[in-house]
Amino acid sequence: MNILSPGIYLTNRLRFPAKFVVLAIIIVIPLIVLGLRVFNSLNASIDTVAQERVGREYLQMTTPVLRFSMLQRAASNRLLAGDASAAQDVISNRAQLETALANLADIDARQGQQLETENRVQRLRESARSLMDSIKPGLSQDDVFAQWNEQLAQTLNFIYYVSATSGMVLDEDYASLFLIDLSTIRMPRKSTLPVRSAASRQV
């Protein structure tokens, strides 16, 4: 018995309008399924792009925090080394670091739940303030420098965390992934290397 016999028998007994309806159903159902899959895929891509956009906003706000933290580390090192002119740099840079942290806290209040940052920004802000408040004449340069290195490490960890929760490190486009890896991991890590000799030369 031919496997197509039931189909042939059915089509032979159907009128032409009914045959067209059956053929239409056979063609339309796969198209509908395929269309739904494409639609869901596009929606997923849109959600991913929106998530990555939030991640980029976070990184734009975190970059100044990283930069001013490095400057504060250098200024504090100069101050503890006996450079009186560094006192004004410490004060002015602290104001800029506080502003950068406030901007980061502002976006975290709006978008933190989406990236599950919890209280990471608050901890980062409090530890930076505590460290800046603790700078006093007579403290060990090595200890303070090490504490700032730890603060910078925590800032970098936050960058890595946001890059992961926003999906930026999972980008399917290789060119985009390379740029994301370069801007969120490699360059920040290189820029925060504790080059003590360079800081000492500023004294």
Side-chain angles (χ1 to χ4, degrees), residues 45 47-63 107 114-115 158-185 188:
S45 298
D47 292 340
T48 299
V49 171
Q51 193 89 340
E52 290 181 0
R53 185 180 295 112
V54 174
R56 286 195 296 271
E57 290 179 10
Y58 261 95
L59 294 181
Q60 288 175 352
M61 293 300 173
T62 309
T63 300
I107 189 176
Q114 186 173 350
L115 297 189
F158 179 74
I159 291 176
Y160 304 155
Y161 181 83
V162 168
S163 299
T165 56
S166 66
M168 295 177 66
V169 294
L170 303 176
D171 199 296
E172 296 179 355
D173 183 75
Y174 290 116
S176 298
L177 184 59
F178 173 76
L179 292 175
I180 290 170
D181 177 70
L182 188 66
S183 61
T184 64
I185 297 179

Coordinates of all heavy atoms in Angstrom, one line a residue, residues 45 47-63 107 114-115 158-185 188:
S45 N 15.8 39.9 21.0 CA 16.9 40.7 20.6 C 16.7 42.2 21.0 O 17.6 42.8 21.5 CB 17.1 40.7 19.0 OG 17.4 39.4 18.6
D47 N 14.9 43.1 23.7 CA 15.2 43.1 25.1 C 16.6 43.1 25.4 O 17.1 43.8 26.4 CB 14.5 41.9 25.7 CG 13.0 42.0 25.7 OD1 12.4 43.1 25.5 OD2 12.3 40.9 25.8
T48 N 17.4 42.3 24.7 CA 18.9 42.2 24.9 C 19.5 43.6 24.7 O 20.4 44.0 25.5 CB 19.5 41.2 24.0 OG1 18.9 39.9 24.3 CG2 21.0 41.1 24.2
V49 N 19.1 44.2 23.6 CA 19.7 45.5 23.3 C 19.3 46.6 24.3 O 20.2 47.4 24.7 CB 19.2 46.0 21.9 CG1 19.6 47.5 21.6 CG2 19.8 45.1 20.8
A50 N 18.1 46.5 24.8 CA 17.7 47.4 25.9 C 18.5 47.2 27.1 O 18.9 48.2 27.8 CB 16.2 47.3 26.1
Q51 N 18.7 45.9 27.5 CA 19.5 45.6 28.6 C 20.9 46.1 28.5 O 21.5 46.6 29.4 CB 19.5 44.1 28.9 CG 20.0 43.6 30.2 CD 18.9 43.6 31.3 OE1 17.9 44.2 31.1 NE2 19.1 42.8 32.3
E52 N 21.5 45.9 27.3 CA 22.9 46.4 27.1 C 23.0 47.9 27.1 O 24.0 48.4 27.6 CB 23.4 45.9 25.7 CG 23.6 44.4 25.7 CD 24.1 43.9 24.3 OE1 24.3 44.8 23.4 OE2 24.4 42.7 24.2
R53 N 21.9 48.6 26.7 CA 21.9 50.0 26.8 C 22.0 50.5 28.2 O 22.7 51.5 28.5 CB 20.6 50.6 26.1 CG 20.6 52.1 26.0 CD 19.4 52.6 25.3 NE 19.3 52.2 23.9 CZ 18.4 51.4 23.5 NH1 17.5 50.9 24.3 NH2 18.4 51.1 22.2
V54 N 21.3 49.8 29.1 CA 21.3 50.2 30.5 C 22.7 49.9 31.0 O 23.3 50.7 31.8 CB 20.3 49.4 31.3 CG1 20.5 49.6 32.8 CG2 18.9 49.7 30.9
G55 N 23.3 48.8 30.6 CA 24.7 48.5 31.0 C 25.7 49.6 30.6 O 26.6 50.0 31.3
R56 N 25.5 50.1 29.4 CA 26.4 51.2 28.9 C 26.2 52.5 29.7 O 27.2 53.2 29.9 CB 26.1 51.4 27.4 CG 26.7 50.3 26.5 CD 26.7 50.8 25.0 NE 25.4 51.1 24.5 CZ 24.6 50.2 23.9 NH1 25.1 48.9 23.8 NH2 23.4 50.5 23.4
E57 N 25.0 52.7 30.1 CA 24.7 53.9 30.9 C 25.4 53.8 32.2 O 26.0 54.8 32.7 CB 23.2 54.1 31.1 CG 22.4 54.5 29.9 CD 21.0 54.7 30.1 OE1 20.6 54.6 31.3 OE2 20.2 54.8 29.2
Y58 N 25.4 52.6 32.8 CA 26.1 52.4 34.1 C 27.6 52.6 33.9 O 28.3 53.2 34.7 CB 25.9 50.9 34.5 CG 24.8 50.8 35.6 CD1 23.5 50.5 35.3 CD2 25.1 51.0 37.0 CE1 22.5 50.4 36.2 CE2 24.1 50.9 37.9 CZ 22.8 50.6 37.6 OH 21.9 50.5 38.5
L59 N 28.2 52.1 32.8 CA 29.6 52.2 32.6 C 30.0 53.6 32.3 O 31.1 54.0 32.7 CB 30.0 51.3 31.4 CG 29.8 49.8 31.6 CD1 30.3 49.0 30.3 CD2 30.6 49.3 32.8
Q60 N 29.1 54.4 31.7 CA 29.4 55.8 31.5 C 29.5 56.5 32.8 O 30.3 57.5 32.9 CB 28.4 56.4 30.5 CG 28.5 56.0 29.1 CD 27.4 56.5 28.2 OE1 26.4 57.1 28.7 NE2 27.5 56.3 26.9
M61 N 28.7 56.1 33.7 CA 28.7 56.8 35.0 C 29.8 56.2 36.0 O 30.3 56.9 36.9 CB 27.4 56.6 35.7 CG 26.2 57.3 35.0 SD 26.5 59.1 35.0 CE 25.1 59.6 33.9
T62 N 30.2 55.0 35.7 CA 31.3 54.4 36.5 C 32.7 54.8 36.1 O 33.6 54.9 37.0 CB 31.2 52.8 36.5 OG1 29.8 52.4 36.7 CG2 32.1 52.2 37.5
T63 N 32.8 55.1 34.9 CA 34.2 55.5 34.4 C 34.7 56.8 35.1 O 35.9 56.8 35.5 CB 34.1 55.8 32.9 OG1 33.7 54.6 32.2 CG2 35.5 56.2 32.3
I107 N 21.6 56.8 38.8 CA 21.2 55.9 37.8 C 20.9 54.5 38.4 O 20.0 53.8 38.0 CB 22.2 55.7 36.7 CG1 21.7 54.8 35.6 CG2 23.5 55.1 37.2 CD1 22.6 54.7 34.4
Q114 N 16.8 46.4 37.5 CA 16.9 45.7 36.3 C 18.2 44.9 36.1 O 18.2 43.8 35.6 CB 16.8 46.7 35.1 CG 16.7 46.1 33.7 CD 16.5 47.1 32.7 OE1 16.1 48.3 32.9 NE2 16.6 46.7 31.4
L115 N 19.3 45.4 36.7 CA 20.6 44.8 36.6 C 21.0 44.1 37.9 O 22.1 43.6 38.0 CB 21.7 45.8 36.2 CG 21.6 46.4 34.8 CD1 22.8 47.2 34.5 CD2 21.3 45.4 33.7
F158 N 32.7 45.9 40.1 CA 31.3 46.4 39.8 C 31.2 46.5 38.3 O 30.1 46.2 37.8 CB 31.1 47.8 40.5 CG 29.7 48.4 40.2 CD1 28.6 47.8 40.8 CD2 29.6 49.4 39.3 CE1 27.4 48.4 40.5 CE2 28.4 50.0 39.1 CZ 27.2 49.4 39.7
I159 N 32.2 47.0 37.6 CA 32.1 47.1 36.1 C 31.9 45.7 35.5 O 31.1 45.6 34.6 CB 33.4 47.8 35.6 CG1 33.4 49.3 36.0 CG2 33.5 47.6 34.1 CD1 34.7 50.0 35.6
Y160 N 32.7 44.8 36.0 CA 32.5 43.4 35.5 C 31.1 42.9 35.8 O 30.5 42.2 34.9 CB 33.6 42.5 36.2 CG 35.0 42.9 36.0 CD1 36.0 42.5 36.9 CD2 35.4 43.7 35.0 CE1 37.3 42.9 36.8 CE2 36.7 44.1 34.9 CZ 37.7 43.7 35.8 OH 39.0 44.1 35.7
Y161 N 30.6 43.2 37.0 CA 29.3 42.7 37.3 C 28.2 43.2 36.4 O 27.3 42.5 35.9 CB 29.0 43.0 38.8 CG 27.6 42.5 39.3 CD1 27.5 41.2 39.7 CD2 26.5 43.4 39.3 CE1 26.2 40.8 40.1 CE2 25.3 42.9 39.7 CZ 25.2 41.6 40.1 OH 23.9 41.2 40.6
V162 N 28.3 44.6 36.2 CA 27.3 45.2 35.3 C 27.4 44.7 33.9 O 26.4 44.5 33.2 CB 27.5 46.7 35.4 CG1 26.7 47.4 34.3 CG2 27.1 47.3 36.7
S163 N 28.7 44.5 33.4 CA 28.9 43.9 32.1 C 28.2 42.6 31.9 O 27.7 42.2 30.9 CB 30.4 43.8 31.8 OG 31.0 45.1 31.8
A164 N 28.2 41.8 33.0 CA 27.6 40.5 33.0 C 26.1 40.5 33.1 O 25.4 39.9 32.2 CB 28.2 39.6 34.1
T165 N 25.6 41.2 34.0 CA 24.1 41.3 34.2 C 23.4 42.0 33.1 O 22.2 41.7 32.9 CB 23.8 41.9 35.6 OG1 24.3 43.2 35.6 CG2 24.3 41.1 36.7
S166 N 24.1 42.9 32.4 CA 23.4 43.6 31.3 C 23.5 42.8 30.0 O 22.9 43.2 29.0 CB 24.1 45.0 31.1 OG 25.4 44.8 30.7
G167 N 24.3 41.7 30.0 CA 24.4 40.9 28.9 C 25.5 41.4 27.9 O 25.6 40.8 26.8
M168 N 26.2 42.4 28.2 CA 27.2 43.0 27.3 C 28.3 42.0 26.9 O 28.7 41.9 25.8 CB 27.8 44.2 27.9 CG 26.8 45.4 28.0 SD 27.5 46.8 28.8 CE 28.7 47.3 27.5
V169 N 28.7 41.2 27.9 CA 29.8 40.2 27.7 C 29.3 39.0 26.9 O 30.1 38.1 26.6 CB 30.4 39.8 29.0 CG1 31.1 40.9 29.7 CG2 29.4 39.2 29.9
L170 N 28.0 38.9 26.7 CA 27.4 37.8 25.9 C 27.0 38.2 24.5 O 26.2 37.4 23.8 CB 26.2 37.2 26.7 CG 26.5 36.8 28.1 CD1 25.2 36.3 28.8 CD2 27.5 35.6 28.1
D171 N 27.4 39.4 24.1 CA 27.0 39.8 22.7 C 27.4 38.8 21.7 O 28.6 38.3 21.7 CB 27.7 41.2 22.5 CG 27.0 41.9 21.3 OD1 27.0 41.4 20.2 OD2 26.4 43.0 21.6
E172 N 26.5 38.5 20.7 CA 26.8 37.5 19.7 C 27.7 38.0 18.6 O 28.3 37.3 17.9 CB 25.5 37.0 19.1 CG 24.6 36.3 20.2 CD 23.3 35.8 19.6 OE1 23.1 36.2 18.4 OE2 22.5 35.1 20.3
D173 N 27.8 39.4 18.4 CA 28.6 39.9 17.4 C 30.0 40.0 17.9 O 30.3 40.6 18.9 CB 28.1 41.4 17.0 CG 28.9 42.0 15.9 OD1 28.7 41.6 14.8 OD2 29.7 42.9 16.2
Y174 N 30.9 39.4 17.1 CA 32.3 39.3 17.6 C 33.0 40.6 17.7 O 33.8 40.9 18.6 CB 33.1 38.3 16.6 CG 32.7 36.9 16.7 CD1 32.1 36.2 15.7 CD2 32.9 36.2 17.9 CE1 31.8 34.9 15.8 CE2 32.5 34.9 18.0 CZ 31.9 34.2 17.0 OH 31.6 32.9 17.1
A175 N 32.7 41.5 16.7 CA 33.3 42.8 16.8 C 32.9 43.6 18.0 O 33.7 44.2 18.7 CB 33.0 43.6 15.5
S176 N 31.6 43.6 18.3 CA 31.0 44.3 19.5 C 31.6 43.6 20.7 O 31.9 44.4 21.7 CB 29.5 44.2 19.5 OG 29.0 44.8 18.3
L177 N 31.7 42.3 20.7 CA 32.2 41.6 21.9 C 33.6 42.0 22.2 O 34.0 42.2 23.4 CB 32.1 40.1 21.7 CG 32.5 39.2 22.9 CD1 31.7 39.6 24.2 CD2 32.4 37.8 22.6
F178 N 34.4 42.2 21.1 CA 35.8 42.6 21.3 C 35.9 44.0 21.9 O 36.7 44.2 22.8 CB 36.5 42.5 20.0 CG 37.9 43.1 20.0 CD1 39.0 42.4 20.5 CD2 38.2 44.4 19.5 CE1 40.3 42.9 20.6 CE2 39.5 44.9 19.5 CZ 40.5 44.1 20.1
L179 N 35.1 44.9 21.4 CA 35.1 46.3 21.9 C 34.6 46.3 23.3 O 35.2 47.1 24.2 CB 34.3 47.2 21.0 CG 34.8 47.4 19.6 CD1 33.8 48.2 18.8 CD2 36.1 48.1 19.6
I180 N 33.6 45.5 23.6 CA 33.1 45.5 25.0 C 34.2 44.9 26.0 O 34.4 45.5 27.1 CB 31.8 44.7 25.1 CG1 30.7 45.4 24.4 CG2 31.4 44.4 26.5 CD1 29.4 44.5 24.1
D181 N 34.8 43.9 25.6 CA 35.9 43.3 26.4 C 37.0 44.3 26.6 O 37.5 44.4 27.7 CB 36.4 42.0 25.7 CG 37.5 41.4 26.5 OD1 37.3 40.9 27.6 OD2 38.7 41.4 26.0
L182 N 37.3 45.0 25.5 CA 38.4 46.0 25.6 C 38.1 47.1 26.5 O 38.9 47.6 27.4 CB 38.8 46.5 24.2 CG 40.0 47.4 24.1 CD1 41.3 46.6 24.4 CD2 40.1 48.0 22.7
S183 N 36.8 47.6 26.4 CA 36.5 48.8 27.2 C 36.0 48.6 28.6 O 36.2 49.4 29.5 CB 35.3 49.6 26.4 OG 34.2 48.7 26.3
T184 N 35.5 47.4 28.9 CA 35.0 47.1 30.2 C 35.9 46.2 31.1 O 35.8 46.2 32.3 CB 33.7 46.4 30.1 OG1 33.8 45.1 29.5 CG2 32.7 47.2 29.4
I185 N 36.9 45.6 30.4 CA 37.8 44.7 31.2 C 39.2 45.0 31.1 O 39.9 45.4 32.1 CB 37.5 43.2 30.8 CG1 36.1 42.8 31.1 CG2 38.5 42.3 31.5 CD1 35.7 41.4 30.8
P188 N 40.2 49.2 31.6 CA 40.2 49.6 33.1 C 41.2 48.9 33.9 O 41.8 49.5 34.8 CB 38.7 49.3 33.4 CG 38.0 49.3 32.2 CD 39.0 48.8 31.1

